[in-house]
Amino acid sequence: MIKLIACDMDGTLLDSQKRLPDGLLPAIQKLRRQGVLFAVASGRQYAALRRDLEPLAQDILFICENGALVMRQDEQLLIDPIDPAHLADIVRAARTLEGVYPVLCRAQMGLIEQAAAPDFRAETLRYYPAQRVVPDLMAHTGSPDVCKVAFYDEGDAQTHELPVLERRLGDRLSVILSGEHWVDVMKPGVNKGEALRGVQRMLGIRPEECMAFGDYLNDCELLDAVGESYAMENAHPALKRIAKYIAPSNDEDGVMRVLRERFDLT
């Protein structure tokens, strides 16, 4: 019996226009009556997820910042930040790349530099609505609650920034491709899957009692942490190879179609 469903947001639950599927709120309420907890698992910050899912906020679990932070009903359940000793090197790495801008993701606030391109600053508001513009990120590299440093690339992140960041930081930190334009740098071993395992231990739920949906490489560990794993039809090929099932695409209401069928949500 499934007791917990974890679902990625962008490219999975949201369609290409960043819209939530119709009927999500009543579906989650019906799941709760069946004893099933719904969790969103995203690279986004808590403030962004809570804003976009406000009607559901009291009923669901939030796995934020690619697993470095877990929140429920505004209570911090888990946090696994980067050692501040590494933060200066991470910020310096961004400065070697043209058209790449970092977000220093603290537990409750994203920090970006004043010198960043205006288009980047506008883009970050979608994912980091709780943000502050600072003159120099280096002045904040002693912060003890930095969950993640997210790098936005104006070009293709996989071919441009990812190899450089892996070469410069990969021996000490986890470097994850999280979208077409985004790479996340985190504490080694921190990911959505480990966060979900922490939740499983906390709630006494076994992996085989869990289901997960994802579309990108930062969802690999999430799918590995559950018994019933779904990659979206639009997912990265590498994720499709490890998933137990393939769901219809995010633009075909894939998550909701699976949930309606599996849980008889009429």
Side-chain angles (χ1 to χ4, degrees), residues 6-263:
C7 186
D8 173 57
M9 286 283 284
D10 296 280
T12 302
L13 187 62
L14 303 180
D15 67 14
S16 297
Q17 303 303 312
K18 306 298 182 183
R19 297 174 299 201
L20 288 165
D22 292 337
L24 181 63
L25 176 57
I28 287 175
Q29 291 171 336
K30 289 177 182 177
L31 288 169
R32 289 298 291 147
R33 289 196 289 270
Q34 295 182 29
V36 182
L37 176 63
F38 191 87
V40 291
S42 174
R44 297 189 187 204
Q45 73 175 175
Y46 177 58
L49 293 172
R50 203 186 190 296
R51 173 199 63 191
D52 294 342
L53 296 162
E54 177 62 34
L56 311 172
Q58 298 305 307
D59 297 312
I60 65 176
L61 190 76
F62 295 88
I63 299 174
C64 321
E65 305 289 10
N66 271 330
L69 181 68
V70 179
M71 302 286 293
R72 188 178 188 184
Q73 296 179 346
D74 293 327
E75 178 186 357
Q76 182 177 292
L77 301 184
L78 298 170
I79 186 169
D80 208 349
I82 299 171
D83 184 340
H86 298 305
L87 291 175
D89 285 344
I90 297 173
V91 173
R92 289 190 194 101
R95 292 175 175 173
T96 68
L97 290 158
E98 185 176 352
V100 172
Y101 307 99
V103 184
L104 208 65
C105 305
R106 301 185 66 178
Q108 301 297 331
M109 179 74 62
L111 305 181
I112 62 175
E113 283 192 322
Q114 196 166 14
D119 289 348
F120 161 73
R121 290 167 63 179
E123 174 73 10
T124 59
L125 285 172
R126 179 188 301 172
Y127 304 105
Y128 303 97
Q131 67 170 239
R132 183 156 57 95
V133 179
V134 298
D136 186 358
L137 286 180
M138 292 295 288
H140 300 270
T141 54
S143 301
D145 65 339
V146 176
C147 301
K148 178 186 77 180
V149 182
F151 291 82
Y152 177 77
D153 195 321
E154 292 178 331
D156 179 63
Q158 186 167 4
T159 58
H160 182 220
E161 64 176 328
L162 181 64
V164 175
L165 295 174
E166 286 180 329
R167 185 171 63 250
R168 293 193 57 144
L169 304 170
D171 60 332
R172 294 160 288 155
L173 296 154
S174 179
V175 181
I176 306 164
L177 182 68
S178 60
E180 181 182 356
H181 298 286
W182 291 93
V183 170
D184 293 338
V185 175
M186 305 173 68
K187 177 181 174 180
V190 174
N191 53 63
K192 295 180 185 180
E194 281 305 303
L196 183 58
R197 288 187 176 96
V199 171
Q200 289 167 349
R201 290 190 294 269
M202 189 178 300
L203 300 180
I205 298 174
R206 293 174 292 149
E208 56 267 32
E209 295 174 320
C210 298
M211 176 186 291
F213 297 84
D215 78 302
Y216 221 74
L217 298 184
N218 61 331
D219 297 315
C220 288
E221 294 87 356
L222 181 69
L223 268 56
D224 282 339
V226 303
E228 298 291 283
S229 58
Y230 286 83
M232 310 306 290
E233 180 57 46
N234 53 289
H236 193 286
L239 192 73
K240 286 184 171 182
R241 288 194 291 269
I242 69 169
K244 188 174 181 179
Y245 307 105
I246 304 299
S249 79
N250 63 322
D251 284 328
E252 297 175 304
D253 208 19
V255 171
M256 290 298 297
R257 287 169 64 179
V258 172
L259 294 182
R260 291 187 188 108
E261 179 181 342
R262 291 290 301 266
F263 298 93

